[in-house]
Amino acid sequence: MQIELFLFFLFSCVSAEGKDVTLPRLNDTKAAEAFINSAEVVVVGFLEGEESHGYKELLAAAKRMDSVLVAICALKEVWVDYGIKSDTITLFRKVDNHQENLVVAEANKIEVDGLMNFIIMNELRYMTEYNQVTAVGLFNSEVKTHLLLFVNKDHKEFNELKVQLEALAPEFTGKLLFVRINGAEDSNFRSLRYFGLKSKDLPRVGIYDGDSDMKWLLPEGDISTERVRDFCNAFLRGELKHKGGQEFFGLTERLHWADSILGVGPGLEWAFLWQPPTTSAKRKHVDM
């Protein structure tokens, strides 16, 4: 905790002078690595100087955003380490080990609002709240499988479940994206319907695999860390897709709807309910 606080104060250099914001400068590789590893999501402006196109806009965006740390790196020797060849504003995130580049020279126009949208859209975390903006980043990620927590924000267990799954998510970095969907939001109605759920059914946990366009629901019951971990690992081992044995793939509940949000055709309109192995033997750990 002390190290995290040290990094926070080290890299969050803000001047209260007027409305000016002073961004930390990353003057060598070690400083850049430390900054990038200091938070789930950070932004680095690989810009030659204060006169660079995009510098003032990044400064203004940083002033308006509290959730993302921003720094400047003008040293081209450091740029090489991250494949940067010209002025670029880059977002780094841990959840899928991703680097999203906005090459200044390729942008027709850089405005503060547009830059903020770029950051918010790609600001995926170990547990990302689903909305129309983050949906773009979620479905553009190379990680196509989502562990979904459907929960109403006013539910008594909301904070507990949120913290619990946020703590579990790093175990599946680069394998699954953990997504929280507020079932009380009208805009999320179609997401619930896609899983055959209604707000009154929540909280529930599901998995959506974008590569196969398949989905599964964890059976009703306690949403414990162990159950969700087993659910995720069963998917990664291929057990959820395996239809040859009831012990791995239960068909005890088949949920169908005529017009899912993705408009899938016959044969892909089903959500399967995952059942854990019936044997009491403890599973052996498998490195993924």
Side-chain angles (χ1 to χ4, degrees):
M1 184 66 179
Q2 290 179 336
I3 294 175
E4 291 175 354
L5 287 173
F6 170 75
L7 288 169
F8 177 81
F9 287 114
L10 178 63
F11 295 122
S12 300
C13 307
V14 180
S15 171
E17 216 173 284
K19 292 186 178 180
D20 292 335
V21 174
T22 302
L23 299 181
R25 303 279 174 160
L26 310 177
N27 295 321
D28 55 44
T29 299
K30 286 186 177 180
E33 288 178 353
F35 179 77
I36 291 168
N37 291 324
S38 67
E40 290 182 48
V41 180
V42 300
V43 172
V44 177
F46 293 100
L47 304 170
E48 289 191 32
E50 295 182 7
E51 300 304 316
S52 296
H53 184 45
Y55 180 88
K56 291 180 180 178
E57 290 78 8
L58 181 59
L59 204 64
K63 183 172 61 176
R64 290 165 57 180
M65 297 189 67
D66 297 325
S67 61
V68 178
L69 299 178
V70 182
I72 297 292
C73 180
L75 200 64
K76 292 192 175 181
E77 287 84 347
V78 177
W79 293 15
V80 175
D81 296 335
Y82 301 98
I84 305 298
K85 297 179 180 179
S86 63
D87 283 357
T88 301
I89 296 171
T90 300
L91 180 142
F92 295 91
R93 64 188 186 221
K94 290 185 177 182
V95 67
D96 55 356
N97 297 313
H98 184 69
Q99 173 181 333
E100 186 73 23
N101 295 327
L102 176 62
V103 181
V104 173
E106 295 177 1
N108 293 329
K109 191 176 184 181
I110 293 184
E111 297 179 338
V112 177
D113 288 343
L115 188 53
M116 289 185 66
N117 284 337
F118 164 77
I119 295 171
I120 295 171
M121 183 174 63
N122 291 290
E123 188 189 347
L124 304 186
R125 298 181 175 272
Y126 285 128
M127 171 68 79
T128 300
E129 183 174 3
Y130 179 83
N131 56 50
Q132 290 183 344
V133 178
T134 59
V136 178
L138 286 167
F139 286 98
N140 281 341
S141 172
E142 292 182 3
V143 178
K144 300 301 182 185
T145 305
H146 303 160
L147 185 285
L148 306 170
L149 170 62
F150 297 97
V151 60
N152 297 326
K153 206 162 189 176
D154 59 355
H155 192 277
K156 62 181 180 179
E157 296 178 358
F158 174 83
N159 287 330
E160 180 183 344
L161 290 172
K162 176 176 176 287
V163 171
Q164 178 183 313
L165 294 192
E166 280 178 348
L168 176 64
E171 294 184 23
F172 299 94
T173 297
K175 300 172 184 175
L176 292 93
L177 299 179
F178 279 47
V179 183
R180 187 177 73 252
I181 299 179
N182 181 10
E185 286 282 344
D186 290 341
S187 59
N188 291 330
F189 167 75
R190 297 177 75 189
S191 297
L192 268 68
R193 186 177 65 186
Y194 187 56
F195 270 79
L197 296 171
K198 296 180 179 179
S199 181
K200 65 181 179 62
D201 301 325
L202 309 185
R204 292 293 297 269
V205 168
I207 286 179
Y208 171 73
D209 178 40
D211 288 329
S212 64
D213 193 26
M214 295 184 70
K215 43 210 169 286
W216 301 265
L217 280 172
L218 185 67
E220 288 184 278
D222 182 38
I223 301 177
S224 66
T225 298
E226 241 359 91
R227 286 188 79 215
V228 177
R229 180 185 287 117
D230 283 349
F231 188 41
C232 294
N233 282 330
F235 169 80
L236 293 173
R237 285 194 285 261
E239 295 166 8
L240 300 192
K241 295 180 182 178
H242 176 62
K243 302 180 183 178
Q246 283 289 327
E247 71 272 24
F248 292 125
F249 195 89
L251 295 178
T252 57
E253 180 181 329
R254 291 170 63 179
L255 307 173
H256 175 267
W257 48 92
D259 56 339
S260 69
I261 58 171
L262 297 184
V264 294
L268 291 178
E269 294 177 342
W270 302 92
F272 299 98
L273 180 70
W274 176 72
Q275 298 283 2
T278 54
T279 176
S280 60
K282 189 176 181 180
R283 290 183 191 163
K284 294 181 179 179
H285 176 72
V286 178
D287 290 324
M288 299 298 173

